[in-house]
Amino acid sequence: MRLLVLTDIHANFTALEATLQAAEGNWERIVCLGDVVGYGPDPNEVTSRIRELGAVTIRGNHDKAVSELMATDDFNPVAKAAVLWTRAQLSNDNLAWLAALPQGPLEAEGVVLVHGAFQDEDEYVFTPAQALEGLLDSTTQVTFFGHTHHQGGFSYQDSELEVLSLHPRSNESRCALRLESAKRYLLNPGSIGQPRDTDPRASFAIADLENQVIEFWRVPYDISSVQQRMRAARLPEPLVLRLQVGR
Ligand code: ZN
């Protein structure tokens, strides 16, 4: 069974469609690690598409903020403006779906899904110290996380934690990680709709646990069309500009 792993789509329908097109025929099940909406111009289109695809989805901090399950006090002014705009756009039906999303960690399709850290869905995992808890406490060999918008990950075996470089070169669309049965993994597929690891291409992963291979993908998409929709919606300019630099 090949599993398509998406996260941090952030209401970017063009990036989502480019992803689905690139991955077509390459997956049987689909999971999403949260932040379906927030920042981008297409909250209804993306939410409806994810629902239609039947993706096993957990909530991210933006999904919570938009659904008023979380205060926006911790959000910077730009993120907060996007939350308010998004809430006003969403249909009642899509808003209710987002509000009802389960919280990670959630075990599904043979892996564990978390949005941020294993013990706290809103915490970021950038460093080995922050990754350790998830590597030790998760209930499956492979755990997927999002939230940082950085493609990459960590492995753990016999008290040794390794930082994994899992990023296709700029002229390549994918790279593969071969799993070792004695190791545990905490892996981030990277963000579909707003990458921040200096590569503006949409990023995702395809996991084939039977064959113990996980592919990390990057696909280009029409960034300027998304920027046009963002400007038409008067979303904050810093959010518009960051898409083309991927940070
Ligand atoms: Zn996010």
Side-chain angles (χ1 to χ4, degrees):
M1 195 268 295
R2 288 170 67 88
L3 184 64
L4 177 60
V5 188
L6 312 179
T7 191
D8 298 281
I9 304 167
H10 282 293
N12 185 334
F13 190 67
T14 309
L16 176 60
E17 284 303 297
T19 293
L20 293 170
Q21 211 164 54
E24 203 185 327
N26 255 316
W27 56 274
E28 285 100 37
R29 302 285 180 85
I30 176 169
V31 295
C32 176
L33 316 174
D35 281 0
V36 175
V37 299
Y39 299 134
D42 318 306
N44 280 307
E45 292 81 351
V46 166
T47 305
S48 297
R49 190 81 169 102
I50 288 297
R51 294 176 67 181
E52 214 175 85
L53 288 162
V56 176
T57 306
I58 57 169
R59 68 189 191 183
N61 51 314
H62 283 260
D63 308 319
K64 278 201 291 181
V66 162
S67 323
E68 294 182 270
L69 294 171
M70 172 189 201
T72 49
D73 307 345
D74 287 347
F75 282 59
N76 64 52
V78 157
K80 200 169 172 171
V83 165
L84 297 177
W85 180 86
T86 302
R87 191 183 294 155
Q89 302 301 310
L90 280 164
S91 69
N92 288 339
D93 196 42
N94 279 336
L95 201 51
W97 183 82
L98 289 166
L101 286 176
Q103 174 180 359
L106 179 75
E107 194 173 328
E109 313 292 358
V111 296
V112 165
L113 317 175
V114 296
H115 182 65
F118 189 78
Q119 306 287 7
D120 184 340
E121 60 183 342
D122 300 326
E123 278 299 313
Y124 290 92
V125 176
F126 281 111
T127 66
Q130 292 164 333
L132 187 60
E133 199 174 58
L135 286 162
L136 293 177
D137 294 349
S138 187
T139 49
T140 53
Q141 184 196 11
V142 176
T143 300
F144 284 107
F145 73 104
H147 197 34
T148 63
H149 301 204
H150 284 231
Q151 195 171 42
F154 307 87
S155 69
Y156 183 85
Q157 180 185 13
D158 301 331
S159 308
E160 241 174 81
L161 199 157
E162 196 185 338
V163 178
L164 306 170
S165 172
L166 302 166
H167 193 163
R169 296 158 194 256
S170 57
N171 59 344
E172 287 169 0
S173 59
R174 70 184 101 164
C175 65
L177 168 70
R178 189 154 282 284
L179 301 180
E180 295 174 44
S181 54
K183 288 188 176 173
R184 300 173 63 79
Y185 296 88
L186 186 64
L187 303 171
N188 190 330
S191 168
I192 300 283
Q194 195 204 71
R196 295 178 192 161
D197 51 8
T198 72
D199 184 340
R201 296 177 295 173
S203 63
F204 60 97
I206 297 177
D208 182 345
L209 294 183
E210 274 107 75
N211 293 303
Q212 295 277 286
V213 178
I214 300 182
E215 293 170 354
F216 291 81
W217 287 62
R218 299 304 285 231
V219 294
Y221 69 95
D222 184 359
I223 292 172
S224 65
S225 74
V226 181
Q227 292 177 312
Q228 269 171 28
R229 292 199 298 284
M230 291 176 81
R231 289 195 172 111
R234 297 174 181 264
L235 281 159
E237 189 65 15
L239 296 177
V240 179
L241 294 173
R242 72 187 307 177
L243 291 184
Q244 76 206 43
V245 287
R247 53 182 294 189

